[in-house]
Amino acid sequence: MWNLWKYGNRPALKDNYGHMLTYNDIRSIAKVIKSRYGTRNLVYFRATNDIWSIANYIALLQTKQTIILVDDKVKEEYHNHYKKIFFPNMVFEQNQLTLRNGLMPYVNPKLALLLPTSGSTGDSKFVRISYKNIKANI
């Protein structure tokens, strides 16, 4: 998706605890994901505000997965509901990526990301964002 790898061992992410990840570290995560799971999976991603979550998010985008990005702090009942309606075949939570089922859903190849909104009627809606949209917004 992006040629981040040209930055090699330069710092990509740092936290307040002294942890650091380089672009090569993120590349390594992406290689493992691609070798284990391939591409075009539908991933339910419980996002936390730490470098591991961010690194895995970038790695998943790099390997052309489609991500349903939901804040980890959302009530558990919403997480369960979203997993039920989207039926993702992979889940990222507690900084672990796991295969949930062996069914490979059809996902439009242009679709990169689904983001929940509050919805004007009170029901959550999901905004669909393509890889092209992400590049344009960066």
Side-chain angles (χ1 to χ4, degrees), residues 35-55:
S35 70
R36 284 188 189 164
Y37 307 108
T39 61
R40 305 307 312 145
N41 292 287
L42 183 60
V43 182
Y44 187 83
F45 195 99
R46 289 181 70 155
T48 56
N49 190 16
D50 62 57
I51 64 173
W52 299 105
S53 187
I54 296 166

Side-chain angles (χ1 to χ4, degrees), residues 11-138:
L13 300 165
K14 293 182 181 180
D15 66 15
N16 293 334
Y17 306 105
H19 302 114
M20 181 194 72
L21 293 173
T22 66
Y23 289 95
N24 282 340
D25 292 330
I26 297 171
R27 183 180 190 178
S28 294
I29 294 168
K31 282 182 176 181
V32 168
I33 290 169
K34 191 170 183 177
S35 70
R36 284 188 189 164
Y37 307 108
T39 61
R40 305 307 312 145
N41 292 287
L42 183 60
V43 182
Y44 187 83
F45 195 99
R46 289 181 70 155
T48 56
N49 190 16
D50 62 57
I51 64 173
W52 299 105
S53 187
I54 296 166
N56 278 279
Y57 169 74
I58 294 168
L60 287 165
L61 285 175
Q62 288 291 134
T63 58
K64 297 289 188 187
Q65 312 302 333
T66 298
I67 302 168
I68 304 164
L69 187 66
V70 182
D71 188 341
D72 186 54
K73 294 178 183 160
V74 169
K75 291 181 184 178
E76 196 63 35
E77 66 188 77
Y78 289 111
H79 288 295
N80 293 334
H81 175 69
Y82 296 148
K83 287 179 195 174
K84 187 176 181 181
I85 61 170
F86 285 107
F87 201 65
N89 62 321
M90 293 176 67
V91 174
F92 179 86
E93 55 191 350
Q94 298 175 343
N95 287 324
Q96 281 196 294
L97 184 63
T98 55
L99 194 60
R100 184 170 183 237
N101 61 61
L103 302 174
M104 188 70 132
Y106 171 77
V107 179
N108 185 314
K110 295 179 183 177
L111 183 61
L113 186 59
L114 293 161
L115 295 174
T117 66
S118 60
S120 58
T121 62
D123 294 334
S124 291
K125 308 280 188 244
F126 281 79
V127 176
R128 294 175 292 216
I129 301 173
S130 70
Y131 290 99
K132 186 176 178 181
N133 295 141
I134 291 173
K135 285 182 180 181
N137 283 298
I138 288 176

